[in-house]
Amino acid sequence: MEKREQLYEGKAKKVYATDDPELLIVSYKDDATAFNGKKKGTIVGKGVINNKMSNRLMARLEKAGVPTHFVEELNDRETLVKRVQIVPLEVIVRNISTGSFSKRYGFPEGVVFAEPTVEYSYKNDELNDPLICDSHILAMQLTTKEELETIRSYALRVNEILKEFWLSCGVTLVDFKLEFGRLSDGTIILADEISPDTSRLWDAATGRKLDKDRFRQDLGGVEEAYAEIMGRLEAHV
Ligand code: 5GP
């Protein structure tokens, strides 16, 4: 597999073309941003951890029947993935109230929901990724009705699989964000990454935050938390 030109540079990853039009290489950076890029920093070693963690989790999901873009880990920071057209939605699943949910509704943090919630944000930095409802997604033709049903059911399956997996690592899966894409034949698959950048992961015994909230909220011990959560995953795979 030959790495070709850089196609895109995002906040946390770079994307390269390859000699196969259906495959891309993603390269994970240590750069960290929060609040739509207003807070910037570096989390040393994050790129390596997010690359490996995302790959392990996606391989697990794939085995459990959720199609993903993961093809092959190339090295510490780089992974071969299937090329998709990204659906411009952030798909957020929550098991416990916190973050923007608690802020938006003035709802206490830490309440365990009887059923997980699913919500969507419209991926648009200029608009600050606004919350969007199903009918507006369909009105703007961001997805078809069928695609949205597929995305929602995959998101809930991902939650079931990852919640159980993280619990076996002594970690509570609080909430997370997914992104989906379409293969050239239109098939919906899971894309982007699943990592402590995109998930809230709390130590099941102590409630200690082992994710990017340590960076967002200036809690300190950011690198240690990423190393800790990766260690938990490696001990259990
Ligand atoms: P909230 O909406 O409470 O801020 O975030 C809910 C979950 O989705 C958290 O696990 C958070 O990490 C993830 N999330 C939501 N929006 C983004 C985003 O723009 N970037 C990243 N990395 N994660 C996000």
Side-chain angles (χ1 to χ4, degrees):
M1 186 53 53
E2 198 183 310
K3 188 168 159 185
R4 298 254 170 102
E5 76 277 11
Q6 184 179 312
L7 298 176
Y8 170 79
E9 176 160 11
K11 293 172 198 144
K13 299 189 282 294
K14 294 179 184 178
V15 180
Y16 297 89
T18 70
D19 50 1
D20 183 333
E22 301 290 339
L23 298 175
L24 301 175
I25 292 171
V26 293
S27 180
Y28 287 75
K29 305 189 286 184
D30 284 353
D31 298 354
T33 64
F35 313 117
N36 197 10
K38 284 197 277 290
K39 181 180 169 79
K40 287 194 176 74
T42 302
I43 302 173
V44 177
K46 171 172 87 77
V48 174
I49 288 171
N50 286 7
N51 182 40
K52 292 182 178 176
M53 184 177 295
S54 195
N55 293 342
R56 304 276 159 83
L57 296 178
M58 288 214 190
R60 184 169 279 269
L61 292 171
E62 193 84 50
K63 254 193 193 166
V66 178
T68 77
H69 72 164
F70 174 61
V71 178
E72 186 191 356
E73 191 168 290
L74 300 175
N75 56 54
D76 270 4
R77 287 183 187 270
E78 293 184 321
T79 294
L80 192 63
V81 299
K82 293 176 185 164
R83 182 196 283 261
V84 293
Q85 175 199 45
I86 288 284
V87 174
L89 294 175
E90 295 194 337
V91 180
I92 295 165
V93 182
R94 301 178 194 269
N95 295 305
I96 299 179
S97 64
T98 190
S100 70
F101 183 97
S102 293
K103 201 166 171 220
R104 175 173 303 113
Y105 303 124
F107 190 80
E109 296 198 39
V111 176
V112 179
F113 300 135
E115 294 287 334
T117 68
V118 183
E119 82 213 36
Y120 309 100
S121 290
Y122 177 38
K123 254 174 80 77
N124 185 316
D125 283 341
E126 274 153 55
L127 300 175
N128 248 319
D129 297 345
L131 193 66
I132 187 169
C133 65
D134 291 40
S135 65
H136 292 181
I137 292 170
L138 301 179
M140 292 201 278
Q141 299 188 340
L142 302 182
T143 69
T144 65
K145 207 168 179 179
E146 194 186 21
E147 284 175 335
L148 194 54
E149 275 162 21
T150 302
I151 286 170
R152 184 187 160 82
S153 91
Y154 282 158
L156 287 169
R157 273 165 72 188
V158 169
N159 184 48
E160 288 310 309
I161 296 158
L162 294 187
K163 205 168 66 170
E164 190 185 320
F165 171 71
W166 279 122
L167 198 58
S168 77
C169 302
V171 172
T172 305
L173 177 61
V174 175
D175 58 28
F176 56 93
K177 183 259 301 180
L178 301 173
E179 294 184 27
F180 291 85
R182 294 179 194 93
L183 295 173
S184 55
D185 69 0
T187 308
I188 294 282
I189 66 171
L190 183 61
D192 193 49
E193 68 179 274
I194 309 174
S195 71
D197 275 19
T198 63
S199 316
R200 287 197 175 97
L201 302 162
W202 295 352
D203 181 88
T206 65
R208 183 180 157 82
K209 293 178 172 149
L210 299 172
D211 57 59
K212 195 176 160 189
D213 271 355
R214 300 205 76 81
F215 170 79
R216 295 187 185 105
Q217 300 169 10
D218 293 316
L219 297 176
V222 183
E223 275 91 359
E224 292 80 358
Y226 275 72
E228 167 75 25
I229 196 77
M230 188 65 202
R232 299 274 189 102
L233 181 139
E234 278 180 329
H236 274 258
V237 171

